[in-house]
């Protein structure tokens, strides 16, 4: 029997208190005040950690509420045939009606949150840690082995500054850093050399995503402002996602397909 099932087992055998629901409801009502008091009394590093966790919860709550909101959009009504002449001041007007629909941006955000896209390469070969990292021996007698050199293509931002070599755990070689990628538009059948904004998701794990490692199947964000893409609302699209389709460390360049 798993260690944590004794409570459920006891409830099945003996049932619950007759006022269990009432006590649970009151406990939930008091939870707000209890958390408030805890936030006021917690100081120092514990207070910072608590505030950070609470901030994450609020952000998640706001995102969920925003997804459920419906936006009102305007759409044209089919032209109706009027009997008789229409006054001159009504000729230029377009009759519109309000319709409640979920906007495309919210749908896009849901996909991003779930981390699910219709990608050209749904399955890729997993990369082992020994293949991804090379162990660097350091110290006077080369006995320390806590440093790792990344052997795959990486992306670092424009304002990136290395840590002092003494404290740098993961070393990203300058020769394997890329700032641009060859992006193919699947509908236009054209390729463009675009700047990389960031690494969205590496299929091998979140650690590689945070390090900016780009392997086959990685989702990257690219700057598509020069392509002139616009949203249904008329705004210029700044960034769009693309999936890497080659092995950059072998080819010396990054080839990717735009996700449209």
């Amino acid at each position: 029997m798993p260690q944590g099932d004794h409570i459920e087992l006891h409830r099945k055998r003996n049932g619950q208190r007759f006022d269990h629901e009432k006590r649970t409801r009151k406990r939930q009502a008091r939870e707000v005040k209890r958390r408030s008091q805890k936030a006021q009394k917690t100081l120092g590093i514990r207070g910072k950690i608590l505030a950070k966790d609470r901030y994450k919860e609020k952000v998640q709550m706001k995102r969920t509420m925003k997804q459920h909101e419906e936006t009102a959009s305007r759409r044209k009504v089919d032209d109706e045939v009027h009997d008789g002449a229409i006054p001159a001041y009504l000729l230029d007007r377009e009759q519109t009606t309000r319709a409640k629909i979920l906007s495309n941006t919210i749908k896009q955000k849901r996909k991003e949150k779930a981390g699910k896209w219709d990608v050209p390469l749904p399955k890729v070969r997993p990369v082992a840690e020994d293949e991804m990292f090379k162990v660097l021996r350091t110290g006077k007698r080369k006995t320390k082995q806590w440093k790792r050199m990344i052997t795959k293509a990486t992306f670092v931002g424009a304002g990136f500054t290395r840590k002092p070599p003494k404290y740098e755990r993961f070393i990203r070689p300058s020769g394997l850093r890329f700032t641009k990628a060859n992006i193919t538009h699947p509908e236009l059948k054209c390729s463009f050399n675009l700047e990389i904004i960031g690494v969205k998701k590496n299929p091998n794990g979140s650690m590689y995503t945070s390090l900016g490692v780009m392997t086959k199947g990685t989702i990257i964000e690219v700057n598509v402002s020069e392509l002139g893409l616009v949203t249904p609302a008329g705004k210029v699209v700044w960034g769009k996602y693309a999936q890497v389709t080659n092995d950059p460390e072998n080819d010396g360049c990054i080839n990717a397909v735009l996700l449209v």
Side-chain angles (χ1 to χ4, degrees), residues 22-40 50 54 57-58 61:
K22 183 179 178 182
R23 285 163 61 89
T24 307
R25 192 179 68 248
K26 286 187 175 181
R27 192 181 298 114
Q28 288 174 351
R30 287 194 297 267
E31 182 68 18
V32 181
K33 289 189 176 180
R34 192 189 67 79
R35 291 182 74 170
S36 174
Q37 288 174 356
K38 186 180 178 183
Q40 289 174 21
L50 187 72
R54 184 65 181 141
E57 286 178 21
K58 287 183 178 179
M61 197 188 305

Side-chain angles (χ1 to χ4, degrees), residues 64-103:
T64 309
M65 289 170 65
K66 200 172 182 182
Q67 284 176 5
H68 293 302
E69 285 177 4
E70 290 184 343
T71 57
S73 69
R74 299 172 69 90
R75 59 178 176 84
K76 294 182 182 178
V77 176
D78 297 333
D79 293 330
E80 298 174 0
V81 179
H82 296 278
D83 295 331
I86 302 175
Y89 60 86
L90 290 178
L91 285 174
D92 294 335
R93 291 190 183 180
E94 291 178 343
Q95 291 182 332
T96 57
T97 184
R98 293 275 177 183
K100 291 277 186 179
I101 59 166
L102 278 171
S103 68

Side-chain angles (χ1 to χ4, degrees), residues 11-213:
R11 283 178 182 171
K12 283 180 183 177
R13 288 173 180 167
N14 305 310
Q16 294 177 332
R17 290 172 57 116
F18 67 94
D19 59 344
H20 173 73
E21 286 80 11
K22 183 179 178 182
R23 285 163 61 89
T24 307
R25 192 179 68 248
K26 286 187 175 181
R27 192 181 298 114
Q28 288 174 351
R30 287 194 297 267
E31 182 68 18
V32 181
K33 289 189 176 180
R34 192 189 67 79
R35 291 182 74 170
S36 174
Q37 288 174 356
K38 186 180 178 183
Q40 289 174 21
K41 290 180 180 178
T42 311
L43 303 173
I45 188 68
R46 291 178 185 271
K48 287 182 180 179
I49 294 169
L50 187 72
K52 194 176 181 181
D53 292 341
R54 184 65 181 141
Y55 174 75
K56 285 180 184 175
E57 286 178 21
K58 287 183 178 179
V59 168
Q60 194 66 32
M61 197 188 305
K62 284 181 181 177
R63 280 182 183 167
T64 309
M65 289 170 65
K66 200 172 182 182
Q67 284 176 5
H68 293 302
E69 285 177 4
E70 290 184 343
T71 57
S73 69
R74 299 172 69 90
R75 59 178 176 84
K76 294 182 182 178
V77 176
D78 297 333
D79 293 330
E80 298 174 0
V81 179
H82 296 278
D83 295 331
I86 302 175
Y89 60 86
L90 290 178
L91 285 174
D92 294 335
R93 291 190 183 180
E94 291 178 343
Q95 291 182 332
T96 57
T97 184
R98 293 275 177 183
K100 291 277 186 179
I101 59 166
L102 278 171
S103 68
N104 290 330
T105 52
I106 291 177
K107 290 179 185 175
Q108 186 71 18
K109 282 179 182 175
R110 281 182 186 169
K111 283 185 180 179
E112 289 172 15
K113 187 180 175 187
K116 294 174 184 176
W117 300 276
D118 296 325
V119 292
L121 299 174
K123 289 185 179 180
V124 291
R125 180 183 68 86
V127 181
E129 194 170 323
D130 298 338
E131 185 185 345
M132 184 79 73
F133 299 123
K134 178 186 173 185
V135 179
L136 285 185
R137 291 175 172 268
T138 55
K140 190 175 180 180
R141 292 172 181 81
K142 305 296 179 185
T143 53
K144 298 177 182 176
Q145 301 179 25
W146 58 274
K147 285 194 177 188
R148 298 289 182 271
M149 182 184 283
I150 299 171
T151 58
K152 303 289 180 183
T154 56
F155 168 78
V156 293
F160 172 73
T161 306
R162 280 183 63 185
K163 285 183 179 178
K166 187 178 178 182
Y167 305 108
E168 192 176 27
R169 174 160 164 70
F170 295 105
I171 298 167
R172 289 170 271 196
S174 301
L176 285 172
R177 292 183 195 172
F178 290 88
T179 55
K180 289 197 171 187
N182 301 318
I183 308 298
T184 304
H185 199 293
E187 293 175 1
L188 299 176
K189 307 294 183 186
C190 297
S191 293
F192 307 93
N193 193 250
L194 304 176
E195 287 187 2
I196 301 170
I197 299 174
V199 177
K200 179 68 178 175
K201 189 172 185 179
N202 189 308
N204 294 298
S206 57
M207 184 177 75
Y208 302 131
T209 305
S210 60
L211 287 170
V213 179

